[in-house]
Amino acid sequence: MNKRIVALTINGVDVQRKVASRMLLTDFIRDELKLTGTNVGCEHGVCGACTILLNGESVRSCLMLAVQADGYEIETVESLQNDNGTLNTLQQSFKDCHGLQCGFCTPGFLMTVTSFLKENEDPTEEEIREAISGNLCRCTGYANIVKSVQRTVQSQRTSKSLTEPVCHTDHKQNETVQIS
Amino acid sequence: MSKFVGQSVKRKEDLRLLTGTGKFVADLRMENMLEAAFLRSTYGHARIKGIETDAAKSLEGVYAVITSNDIEGEIKPLKQFDSHCILPPNLIEEIDPVINYNFEDVLAKRKVTYAGQPVAVVVAKNRYIAEDALALLKVEYEPLEALVNPFEAEKGDAPIIQEHMESNIQSHFLVQVGDVDKAIEEADYVLKKRLRTPRLSSNPMETRGVLANYDAVTGKFRVWSSTQLPYEVRSTIASLLEIPEESIHVTAPEVGGGFGPKGGVHPEEILIPYLSRMLGRPVRWIEDRIEHLAAARQSRDQIHDVEVSYKKDGTITGIKDDFIVDSGAVNYFALTCAYNTAYHLRGMYKIPSYQSKCRVILTNKTPNVPFRGAGRPEATFVMDRVIDMIARNLAMDPVDVMKKNMIQAEEMPYDQGILVKDGAQLIYDSGNYPDALDKVLEATNYKGFRKKQQQLKEAGKYVGIGISSFIEGTGSGPFESALVKIDLTGHVTAHLGSSPQGQGHETVFSQICADDLGVTPDQVTVVVGDTGVLPIGAGTYASRSAVNAGSAIHEASQKLQRKVLEIAGMLLDNEVEMLNIENGTIYAHDNPEMKLTFVDIANAARPSKSSKLPEGMEPGLQVLHYFVPPTVTFASSIHVAQVEVDKETGFVDIQDYSVVHDCGTVINPMIVEGQVQGGIAQGIGSALYEEVVHDKNGQVLTGSYMDYLIPTSMEVPTVKMVHQEYPSTRNPMGIKGVGEGGAISPPAAIANAVVDALTPLSIEITKVPVSPGYLRELIKEAERV
Ligand code: FES
Ligand code: FES
C-alpha cells in the first residue's frame, strides 16, 4: 500500500504519522489521532458534520485526504474549551439555548460558527442562517442553533456572562435553571 | 410539590456532546477490532445465480467473506416484531384483520427483493480493505420483474415477492362506525379524491452502526448499537442465534438521532455479533450515508381513496377511506402504522360515520417502518386536505369548516366509537380544541393576514395561509421500567428501560426523581440505554418515554421516598406525616434540629443483623417499578403556515409558522419546545423536499444528499409556539407525549397554504412533497382550464 508521511499541527500539537495516501483526513483525525469529536454524517461533503478548521478556515474533512493536510494547522472541536476546562462562550451558548439535541451535528456547527464569527462579529439573523446553511441538523430545526449564535455574539459584545434569557420563546415557565 | 418539574433545567448531556467527548458507536474502538462492510443488492428483484468470492477472500487483510450459504441453518430469519404487533382479541373481532407471515433472511438467499438488501458481508482489518474486497465480489443475478407500483403488485398475476405467500397483499383490515354508505347517499355533496404521502428516509445525522465482541471464555456477547431499542436488539439476537438473552449485553451509547427506523432490529445487528463469535475478535460496522438512503428502513408511502359526504353548511357526515400502505419487501410492524392512520384520521372532528379499509402491500422497495408520526402525518394530510377542499367547494373559509365539525370542550372526554390498537375504546381524555384554534389564529394574526392578503395578491404576490390540526395517541404501552436507588454515599441513581436519541432523558427524568425525593437534579444520576442494569425495558418510540418512563420513575421515586420516610420516622421516633425531605435531609416539623441524611438512611437500611428498619420492611434502598399505561393519552396541536409562492418557478417560501400544542404536564419547557421545532423541520422536509424515488426497476434514484433533500437553516423558520396544558387523565403526573407531534401537520398545513396562495387559480394538491416541478405542473394545468 502506498504510504506517505503526514506532518501537521492539530489543536496546537505537532504530529507526524505514516499513512496510506488514500486515507481520508476525517479518518486520520478520528482513527489515527483518536480525536473522535469530529463526526462523519455523509462522507460526500453535504452534511458538514465533519467540519474542522484548516489554517483557521472551516473545511469538510471528509472531502480531503490526510496527505493534503500535510503542513497545515488543524483545529477540531476538542480545541474549543477554555484552558481551565470550562465551555467557551460559543459552547456555553449552545448549552444555554438548547442548541443541540442528539449532538451528532454539533461539532460541525461549532467549527463552522467559530470560523464565521471571526469574519463577521456582528451578523444579522439572515447572515447566521446563511453561514450555517451548509450544516445539516435533523433534530433541532435550527431555531435554537441560530439563537445560540446570537447569544454568543451578544455575550462577546458585552464581554461578560449574561443573565437575561434570550433563548426561548415566551413561556411562563421559562426561567432557565443551571444545575451543572 | 414540584420544584424542578416544569422548569427549563439545562441539559446534563450537553457538556460531553459540546466537547467532542461523547461516544457514538463509531467512536468506540477495541483492541484487535475488525471492520465489516456489506455488499448490497443492485437490483430491486432478482434471482441470485451465484456469488464469486475467491478473489475477495484472498485479498490481504480480509478475514471473512460470508454469503447466505455460509450461514445456512445458523441464523434464523428476521420476522415481524411481535412485541409491537400482537393485537388484542377484542380488536381482532372488531376489525377482522389478516396478517400474513413474512420474513427476511439476514443475508439474501436465492433472491433479492429490494435494492440495498444485504447480500454478502466482508470482514477485514479496516473499512478500506473491506471495501476493496467488496469490489472483488461478483454476483450473478437473473433480473425478475420489479414491482414498484402497489396497485400492480396486488394484482392476481403479479410475481410474488415473498414466495410462500399467495399474493403480495400482506395484511388487511376494516374498521367502521355509523353508516357511511347511508351518509353518502343522503349527502348534499360528496367529495371523491385520491391523496398520497411520499416514501421518506428518516436520516438521523448519525447513521446506523454496531460493534460486537464475543467473549469465548464467558460465552457472552457485548454489543453496542445505535438503536432506540436495546432490549429489542437483545431479544432478537437471542432468538435468531438461539441463545439465552442472559448471554447478551446490549448498550445504546450516544445515539445521534433515531426518529423511528432505529427502532426494530436490522439484519446487520444480528450478523455483526455472529461474525464476532465466528472470528473470535471484536467486529464493527458503521453504515455510510449511501447505504442509509437505500437500505435503512423507510416510511410513510400511503395512497388513500376517500369519499366524503358533507352538507351545504360544511358539516361532514361521513368518510369512507380505502387506503394502501406500500410496505416494501417486508412488513415488520404488522398494522402499526396502518391502524394508527385509521384510528387517527378523524382527528379533532366529530364525523359520525366512518369506514377505513386498508391493505398493506409488498413491493420491491426497502421495508417500511414507523417514522416520527407513524401513520398520523398520512391521516392528517388526508383529513386536512379534505377540509380545505370542502371549504373551497362551498366558498367558505377553512376555519369555519373546522369549527363546524370540531369537538367542543364540554364534549370531552370524547368517544370516537372505535378502538385504539391496544383494544381500549378510542376516547380522547382531555383537551380544548376550539380554544386551541382561537389561540393559534391569534398567534398568526389570521384576521390581519386575510385583510392584507387581498392587497398583496393585487400587487402580484402569491401569499397564502393554511391550517392543519391533529390529535395524537401518545405514550403507548406495554410498559416501562424504572429502578431508583440510594447508595451508601447518599447519591441517587435511576435506571430506565427507555433510552434517548437526543431527547434529554438524563435531564428530564432527574427532574422528576429530584422532586419526588427532595433532592436536586444534579444529585440524581440517570443511567439509560443499557440492558445490563435492568432486567427488562421497552424503549423510545411512539412519543412514549415521558409518559411511560416518566410515570415509572415517578412511581418508583415516590415509593422510595415513602420508604426513606418510614425509616426516618423510626429513627427520629416520629410520625411519617410529620417529616419533611429537603435537599437530601430529613427532619420533623416539630423538631427541625434533629436531621438525618440519605447516608444515615442508607446505612440503617443496609442488609445486616444491625439494620434499623421498621418491622417487616425489606432491607435496601432501591425500588423497581413497572408502569403499565391503561391506554394512550391524547396530545393535540394546530399548525398554521403562511407562505409565499413564486408562481414562475414553483418555489414555496414559508414566511410564518405558528403552532399551539397540548402535551399535558410539561416536565421541561425548553426540551418540549425543541422537540416541537425539530419535528416541524422534518415535517417541512416532507411537505416540500423529501421523497425516496424508485425507478421502474426498483432502483433508488435518491441515493445521496444531492437528490434526497434535507431542509437547512434557510428553509426552516423559527416557529411561534403557544402552549396549552390539559393534563392527561391516564397517568399520575398528567403527562402526554410530544416527540412526534411536530412532524404530523406541516405537509397538510403547507399544502393548504400553497393552494390558498394561488387562489383564484384553482390548483389541487393531492400529494407531497410540493416540489417546484410538481407545483409548476399544477399551475400550468390550472391556467389551461
Ligand atoms: S461527513 Fe463531511 S460533509 Fe458530511
Ligand atoms: S442535534 Fe441531532 S443532528 Fe443536530
Side-chain angles (χ1 to χ4, degrees):
Chain A
M1 184 74 33
N2 191 355
K3 290 206 170 195
R4 284 192 30 200
I5 303 266
V6 174
L8 47 76
T9 311
I10 187 146
N11 302 336
V13 180
D14 293 334
V15 295
Q16 185 169 327
R17 292 280 195 290
K18 196 168 183 188
V19 298
S21 337
R22 67 174 176 171
M23 177 174 267
L24 288 181
L25 180 54
T26 334
D27 292 338
F28 179 72
I29 294 169
R30 292 174 45 80
D31 298 342
E32 291 290 319
L33 306 180
K34 311 277 187 277
L35 294 169
T36 54
T38 303
N39 290 329
V40 181
C42 72
E43 249 181 329
H44 57 278
V46 182
C47 76
C50 65
T51 305
I52 57 163
L53 302 188
L54 195 70
N55 283 4
E57 268 181 52
S58 60
V59 299
R60 282 149 206 258
S61 59
C62 75
L63 292 182
M64 280 182 75
L65 298 172
V67 293
Q68 291 174 295
D70 187 46
Y72 280 86
E73 271 181 40
I74 291 179
E75 285 155 83
T76 66
V77 66
E78 286 90 347
S79 71
L80 295 181
Q81 274 153 285
N82 297 323
D83 291 340
N84 62 8
T86 55
L87 298 178
N88 78 6
T89 312
L90 178 62
Q91 291 167 311
Q92 187 63 44
S93 302
F94 266 70
K95 177 168 175 167
D96 292 344
C97 299
H98 191 30
L100 65 156
Q101 290 182 22
C102 78
F104 193 82
C105 68
T106 311
F109 275 93
L110 292 173
M111 300 320 284
T112 299
V113 174
T114 297
S115 118
F116 168 63
L117 290 182
K118 275 191 233 152
E119 310 272 296
N120 187 343
E121 285 178 10
D122 192 15
T124 62
E125 173 174 346
E126 211 40 39
E127 287 168 338
I128 295 170
R129 285 188 174 269
E130 181 134 9
I132 60 171
S133 65
N135 289 67
L136 296 179
C137 173
R138 195 58 158 169
C139 299
T140 64
Y142 305 103
N144 286 344
I145 298 181
V146 173
K147 285 175 195 157
S148 304
V149 180
Q150 287 171 327
R151 175 166 246 221
T152 308
V153 171
Q154 193 181 342
S155 243
Q156 281 171 345
R157 208 187 303 136
T158 55
S159 205
K160 59 173 195 257
S161 69
L162 291 176
T163 44
E164 78 268 33
V166 296
C167 303
H168 310 295
T169 45
D170 291 332
H171 190 270
K172 64 176 172 22
Q173 293 157 309
N174 245 337
E175 304 85 62
T176 53
V177 177
Q178 184 78 40
I179 57 159
S180 51
Chain B
M1 174 200 59
S2 68
K3 226 163 133 184
F4 296 101
V5 168
Q7 305 270 11
S8 289
V9 171
K10 287 181 199 167
R11 298 202 325 166
K12 297 179 167 197
E13 293 83 350
D14 289 353
L15 180 67
R16 57 181 193 263
L17 295 168
L18 284 162
T19 51
T21 48
K23 295 283 180 221
F24 298 91
V25 179
D27 302 336
L28 304 173
R29 294 201 138 255
M30 298 181 83
E31 210 173 325
N32 284 324
M33 185 181 86
L34 302 173
E35 289 194 86
F38 284 82
L39 183 76
R40 296 179 183 278
S41 170
T42 49
Y43 284 84
H45 201 188
R47 272 202 207 289
I48 299 173
K49 308 292 280 182
I51 307 178
E52 178 51 63
T53 58
D54 288 351
K57 278 182 180 152
S58 57
L59 190 72
E60 196 187 325
V62 169
Y63 287 76
V65 179
I66 302 292
T67 68
S68 73
N69 283 341
D70 303 301
I71 56 170
E72 184 67 46
E74 300 209 14
I75 305 180
K76 296 207 291 192
L78 269 172
K79 54 185 183 53
Q80 83 175 17
F81 299 109
D82 282 344
S83 54
H84 299 260
C85 297
I86 301 296
L87 304 177
N90 65 330
L91 183 68
I92 292 177
E93 200 168 307
E94 183 122 343
I95 69 170
D96 193 22
V98 168
I99 304 172
N100 287 299
Y101 172 78
N102 69 162
F103 68 93
E104 178 177 8
D105 288 305
V106 294
L107 289 174
K109 209 189 263 188
R110 291 186 288 277
K111 77 170 193 170
V112 289
T113 55
Y114 61 94
Q117 185 178 4
V119 171
V121 54
V122 172
V123 185
K125 199 172 132 197
N126 59 45
R127 175 86 186 218
Y128 289 81
I129 297 172
E131 288 192 18
D132 289 343
L134 289 187
L136 298 173
L137 289 170
K138 283 202 180 67
V139 186
E140 194 192 332
Y141 290 108
E142 176 193 312
L144 298 168
E145 183 191 337
L147 295 161
V148 291
N149 176 346
F151 292 112
E152 295 297 321
E154 72 173 338
K155 285 187 181 155
D157 58 351
I160 308 279
I161 294 170
Q162 296 253 345
E163 285 173 351
H164 65 282
M165 283 171 47
E166 277 167 12
S167 79
N168 293 316
I169 303 175
Q170 192 270 338
S171 48
H172 57 81
F173 65 86
L174 170 73
V175 56
Q176 53 190 340
V177 58
D179 186 342
V180 80
D181 290 319
K182 189 158 159 246
I184 289 171
E185 218 182 278
E186 293 173 353
D188 292 340
Y189 302 102
V190 176
L191 177 90
K192 247 179 135 162
K193 288 292 161 213
R194 171 168 290 180
L195 295 157
R196 7 173 124 221
T197 50
R199 175 167 276 258
L200 297 180
S201 170
S202 68
N203 280 289
M205 291 323 299
E206 183 208 22
T207 54
R208 296 179 298 131
V210 197
L211 164 63
N213 186 31
Y214 176 73
D215 181 340
V217 178
T218 59
K220 293 203 167 178
F221 287 88
R222 196 69 184 83
V223 180
W224 292 263
S225 179
S226 179
T227 179
Q228 293 167 236
L229 305 178
Y231 289 93
E232 188 85 40
V233 172
R234 182 181 70 177
S235 61
T236 310
I237 296 172
S239 74
L240 269 54
L241 297 184
E242 298 180 88
I243 52 176
E245 284 192 10
E246 199 46 41
S247 62
I248 310 157
H249 177 176
V250 180
T251 301
E254 303 288 356
V255 176
F259 315 121
K262 280 188 192 170
V265 184
H266 281 74
E268 297 88 349
E269 285 168 304
I270 309 300
L271 276 159
I272 298 299
Y274 171 87
L275 291 165
S276 171
R277 184 177 65 183
M278 187 183 104
L279 295 166
R281 292 178 63 163
V283 180
R284 188 179 72 180
W285 164 74
I286 304 299
E287 181 184 56
D288 72 24
R289 186 60 60 183
I290 309 300
E291 289 180 285
H292 183 86
L293 285 164
R297 295 183 190 134
Q298 300 168 353
S299 196
R300 312 264 195 266
D301 214 351
Q302 296 189 357
I303 306 170
H304 291 250
D305 285 307
V306 279
E307 258 183 274
V308 185
S309 56
Y310 60 102
K311 294 194 203 160
K312 289 191 187 87
D313 66 355
T315 307
I316 300 173
T317 55
I319 298 185
K320 190 175 186 172
D321 184 19
D322 192 342
F323 76 104
I324 60 175
V325 179
D326 179 339
S327 188
V330 197
N331 180 13
Y332 280 112
F333 285 87
L335 306 185
T336 300
C337 287
Y339 196 73
N340 273 349
T341 302
Y343 94 77
H344 282 87
L345 192 128
R346 286 174 296 162
M348 290 182 180
Y349 305 113
K350 21 181 190 185
I351 298 165
S353 291
Y354 175 56
Q355 185 189 79
S356 178
K357 206 172 173 183
C358 169
R359 276 129 47 231
V360 179
I361 297 167
L362 302 185
T363 59
N364 291 117
K365 299 180 195 165
T366 307
N368 179 339
V369 300
F371 166 36
R372 205 170 195 166
R376 301 170 185 92
E378 298 91 316
T380 302
F381 181 71
V382 172
M383 187 68 236
D384 288 340
R385 281 300 295 128
V386 162
I387 294 262
D388 197 72
M389 287 173 180
I390 290 176
R392 277 166 216 289
N393 290 349
L394 295 172
M396 285 171 74
D397 190 303
V399 169
D400 296 326
V401 178
M402 290 175 77
K403 285 188 173 160
K404 198 94 232 155
N405 294 284
M406 193 170 261
I407 295 163
Q408 298 301 302
E410 59 278 10
E411 292 171 296
M412 299 295 276
Y414 189 83
D415 185 342
Q416 281 283 28
I418 57 174
L419 299 178
V420 178
K421 212 186 92 190
D422 61 16
Q425 190 66 19
L426 174 54
I427 299 172
Y428 302 161
D429 49 337
S430 65
N432 184 338
Y433 311 145
D435 173 67
L437 184 57
D438 290 344
K439 286 203 159 94
V440 76
L441 292 180
E442 193 189 310
T444 195
N445 187 12
Y446 193 75
K447 282 200 190 119
F449 180 88
R450 284 290 186 212
K451 259 191 222 137
K452 159 183 98 172
Q453 184 181 28
Q454 208 38 47
Q455 290 165 359
L456 286 168
K457 280 199 176 174
E458 277 157 21
K461 278 193 174 307
Y462 297 88
V463 292
I465 196 162
I467 311 181
S468 169
S469 68
F470 66 87
I471 50 90
E472 185 196 0
T474 65
S476 61
F479 77 97
E480 198 50 270
S481 48
L483 175 74
V484 183
K485 58 190 184 192
I486 299 175
D487 66 21
L488 287 173
T489 70
H491 189 79
V492 183
T493 303
H495 298 291
L496 291 164
S498 124
S499 55
Q501 308 84 44
Q503 300 91 334
H505 284 36
E506 289 167 47
T507 307
V508 294
F509 296 124
S510 73
Q511 291 175 247
I512 295 177
C513 183
D515 274 352
D516 285 325
L517 285 176
V519 293
T520 59
D522 56 3
Q523 289 170 297
V524 180
T525 304
V526 173
V527 182
V528 287
D530 196 309
T531 65
V533 296
L534 271 182
I536 55 171
T540 295
Y541 53 92
S543 304
R544 67 184 301 282
S545 281
V547 175
N548 289 288
S551 300
I553 194 170
H554 174 61
E555 300 270 2
S557 305
Q558 291 222 319
K559 283 190 205 165
L560 185 58
Q561 185 228 39
R562 180 83 201 165
K563 188 165 186 180
V564 166
L565 289 177
E566 280 173 17
I567 298 169
M570 198 198 76
L571 296 176
L572 293 171
D573 198 16
N574 213 325
E575 297 295 311
V576 167
E577 288 63 40
M578 293 299 292
L579 302 180
N580 229 356
I581 308 190
E582 221 177 81
N583 273 330
T585 57
I586 304 123
Y587 58 88
H589 300 299
D590 56 359
N591 186 8
E593 278 74 57
M594 281 281 288
K595 283 191 194 337
L596 291 173
T597 64
F598 281 179
V599 177
D600 301 322
I601 307 292
N603 275 306
R606 199 175 183 192
S608 94
K609 268 199 275 186
S610 55
S611 27
K612 301 190 196 73
L613 291 168
E615 185 92 22
M617 185 185 273
E618 290 279 320
L621 279 187
Q622 51 179 329
V623 173
L624 174 64
H625 184 86
Y626 295 107
F627 177 75
V628 177
T631 179
V632 293
T633 177
F634 286 88
S636 58
S637 181
I638 307 181
H639 291 207
V640 184
Q642 293 182 15
V643 304
E644 180 173 350
V645 177
D646 181 335
K647 204 172 146 220
E648 302 313 312
T649 61
F651 274 98
V652 175
D653 181 37
I654 301 170
Q655 303 199 311
D656 184 81
Y657 204 99
S658 301
V659 162
V660 59
H661 79 108
D662 167 30
C663 62
T665 304
V666 171
I667 308 169
N668 185 322
M670 172 187 88
I671 287 179
V672 164
E673 287 173 10
Q675 288 293 313
V676 174
Q677 172 79 30
I680 288 170
Q682 292 184 357
I684 289 174
S686 63
L688 295 174
Y689 311 106
E690 296 181 38
E691 179 171 21
V692 176
V693 182
H694 289 81
D695 73 3
K696 65 179 194 321
N697 299 316
Q699 296 294 340
V700 183
L701 299 180
T702 43
S704 82
Y705 277 165
M706 298 308 185
D707 302 301
Y708 193 90
L709 303 178
I710 305 274
T712 75
S713 53
M714 301 303 277
E715 286 86 43
V716 183
T718 298
V719 173
K720 278 190 214 143
M721 287 180 215
V722 185
H723 307 264
Q724 287 181 305
E725 217 170 304
Y726 289 92
S728 166
T729 59
R730 293 177 181 160
N731 58 72
M733 293 181 67
I735 302 166
K736 298 174 179 176
V738 72
E740 297 172 281
I744 296 175
S745 266
I750 292 168
N752 289 345
V754 170
V755 171
D756 188 56
L758 290 164
T759 309
L761 195 61
S762 173
I763 64 155
E764 189 163 87
I765 293 176
T766 54
K767 63 176 189 184
V768 278
V770 185
S771 63
Y774 172 51
L775 190 52
R776 276 300 300 154
E777 253 172 56
L778 291 175
I779 292 170
K780 275 191 268 177
E781 208 174 285
E783 280 176 334
R784 263 200 302 272
V785 181

